[in-house]
Amino acid sequence: MRLHAYGQWQRTPKDTFFRRHRVLVLNPGSTSTKTSVFEGDEERFTEELQHPAEDLRAFEGQPITAQFAFRKEAVLRFLAQKGLALDDLDAVSGRGGLLRPIPHGTWNVGAAMLEDLKAGARGEHASNLGALIAAELVAGTGKPAYIVDPVVVDEAEPKVKISGLKELPRRVISHALNQIATARRYAEEHETFYERVNVVVAHMGGGITVGAHRKGRYIDVNNGLDGEGPFSPQRTGTLPAGQLIDLCFSGKYAKAELKTLNKGRGGLIDLLGTSDMREVERRVAEGDAEARLVFDAMAYQIAKAISALVPAFDGEPVDAILLTGGLARSERLVGELRRLTSALGCPVRVYPGENEMAALAKGALRVLSGREPAKDYPPQ
């Protein structure tokens, strides 16, 4: 305690008082697999394992899940380079994929989950590989494999999902992992719990999702995967429905081209030819009127999405607005969002970056330390 008080404490030499569980964390992306080893909440090793295009070419035309054995071998090489074996781990925590809608929390990877991911009935996404790789790594070891707060976390009330067309109910797909981790972090900093705060979290990256978290439940958020909500560096956001219908039947674009415009080539890329916010800000600073207009429009749409979630709290006050994701590093954007949301009367807190690896580790650690139980998929 004396060393801690004078800023000289780093860590105890052994797990004298509280065991530091060792967790392998996996976050698969389209061309890489982010891999980290945590001891307790301390990240000991981390590396983004790159998968060259020539290696991935062998999997063209196959489901994304065909890559799990290939990626597993890359992870095993990473562990060997760090002098670790699977027996040195207490658990593996992988990024969750496109599963059935489930509540937030840490989930055991089991046969039903693996079957759903291999079938890919709810979509193909690199995050589907997280549970598959984790399961392969722990097979036969008796060690647990988990996923934490996947993109399909859905705790919204039925009224949230009603649209004006019976055939098209709203789907809830978002940056749930970072949304919930950011809300938890805010609660910890204020010496309370996720279950006791009301916050709006805006995850601002290549896609943007803005979510309402009411006393431990993730009760509303826009569907960032399908492009709903504010436009972002790569996504169109919500479009005028009538004009979109006309565009779909204009003969100008094929279905695949429209899908790409909606997610991948829309937003800042379509409007300004770049997805780099730093480039946009440079152009604004140099007096580019078009860049300034687009920047202002994006800030306005994000602020409008934040403000639109006030009814989700059922009359209770909002404790804070939390800004996270890569775009939260933009001082200009953060400043504009503070100004535009000031009428809500709550503070704005900023947590730049995605913080996903730590969130995956902490989800596993909460279970390993007995602070919460792991849930079994599918939910009953």
Side-chain angles (χ1 to χ4, degrees):
M1 293 298 291
R2 187 180 300 112
L3 289 172
H4 184 274
Y6 286 94
Q8 298 174 353
W9 178 88
Q10 291 183 338
R11 57 185 294 165
T12 53
K14 294 183 179 180
D15 298 328
T16 307
F17 303 106
F18 302 101
R19 183 179 175 190
R20 291 190 298 270
H21 294 96
R22 186 177 284 156
V23 179
L24 174 66
V25 175
L26 306 173
N27 189 353
S30 57
T31 60
S32 67
T33 304
K34 294 179 183 177
T35 308
S36 297
V37 174
F38 281 76
E39 291 182 3
D41 57 5
E42 181 179 352
E43 189 175 45
R44 299 290 290 155
F45 309 107
T46 185
E47 187 174 336
E48 186 165 358
L49 308 178
Q50 299 294 329
H51 307 306
E54 55 268 24
D55 291 344
L56 295 177
R57 197 168 293 122
F59 302 102
E60 287 183 1
Q62 300 181 56
I64 189 75
T65 51
Q67 299 179 22
F68 77 88
F70 160 75
R71 298 205 190 207
K72 181 194 78 169
E73 293 304 318
V75 173
L76 288 173
R77 289 194 295 272
F78 164 83
L79 288 173
Q81 290 168 6
K82 304 304 179 186
L84 296 172
L86 294 176
D87 286 343
D88 297 319
L89 305 174
D90 292 296
V92 180
S93 184
R95 179 75 183 272
L98 295 172
L99 296 159
R100 310 178 201 185
I102 57 177
H104 80 273
T106 301
W107 293 78
N108 291 309
V109 176
M113 181 182 295
L114 297 175
E115 184 179 340
D116 276 4
L117 290 170
K118 289 176 182 177
R122 289 165 177 81
E124 293 287 334
H125 193 272
S127 61
N128 289 3
L129 291 164
L132 290 162
I133 299 171
E136 279 286 300
L137 289 172
V138 302
T141 68
K143 307 291 176 70
Y146 304 120
I147 63 167
V148 182
D149 295 335
V151 294
V152 293
V153 167
D154 179 358
E155 296 172 333
E157 297 175 357
K159 66 182 179 183
V160 171
K161 302 174 188 177
I162 299 294
S163 77
L165 192 62
K166 189 180 294 186
E167 291 182 77
L168 297 178
R170 291 185 58 216
R171 294 200 301 164
V172 178
I173 301 177
S174 70
H175 302 93
L177 180 63
N178 192 41
Q179 285 254 356
I180 296 168
T182 301
R184 286 185 183 276
R185 181 175 171 184
Y186 169 83
E188 289 171 3
E189 289 178 356
H190 290 76
E191 298 182 346
T192 186
F193 301 95
Y194 178 52
E195 293 75 16
R196 296 183 182 178
V197 297
N198 288 336
V199 292
V200 175
V201 182
H203 174 106
M204 306 179 297
I208 294 175
T209 57
V210 183
H213 302 253
R214 187 177 72 200
K215 289 185 168 53
R217 292 186 62 236
Y218 188 24
I219 55 175
D220 197 358
V221 66
N222 59 292
N223 181 346
L225 181 68
D226 289 342
E228 182 185 49
F231 72 80
S232 74
Q234 299 174 348
R235 301 178 189 180
T236 63
T238 301
L239 296 170
Q243 294 169 246
L244 178 59
I245 292 169
D246 290 340
L247 187 63
C248 289
F249 288 92
S250 67
K252 186 177 180 181
Y253 299 104
K255 179 180 178 180
E257 292 174 311
L258 284 170
K259 287 273 192 179
T260 301
L261 279 174
N262 179 51
K263 186 182 68 174
R265 298 296 302 172
L268 293 182
I269 290 179
D270 185 65
L271 295 166
L272 294 175
T274 181
S275 61
D276 190 337
M277 179 58 80
R278 294 166 298 183
E279 168 68 13
V280 175
E281 289 187 306
R282 183 189 65 77
R283 288 162 60 174
V284 171
E286 292 175 354
D288 186 324
E290 182 183 17
R292 179 57 188 261
L293 178 61
V294 170
F295 176 89
D296 287 348
M298 187 167 75
Y300 175 77
Q301 288 194 12
I302 297 170
K304 188 164 69 168
I306 291 170
S307 303
L309 286 174
V310 169
F313 297 95
D314 201 23
E316 296 180 9
V318 178
D319 296 315
I321 297 165
L322 313 181
L323 306 179
T324 184
L327 297 186
R329 296 188 177 95
S330 167
E331 293 183 8
R332 182 186 291 269
L333 180 60
V334 168
E336 188 67 1
L337 291 174
R338 286 187 194 276
R339 184 181 72 82
L340 291 171
T341 60
S342 59
L344 295 179
C346 59
V348 175
R349 298 287 182 262
V350 185
Y351 300 90
E354 296 187 344
N355 312 304
E356 290 176 339
M357 303 305 278
L360 289 168
K362 287 181 178 181
L365 290 168
R366 285 193 295 270
V367 173
L368 293 172
S369 62
R371 284 179 286 164
E372 70 178 52
K375 300 174 181 178
D376 292 320
Y377 180 90
Q380 299 301 316

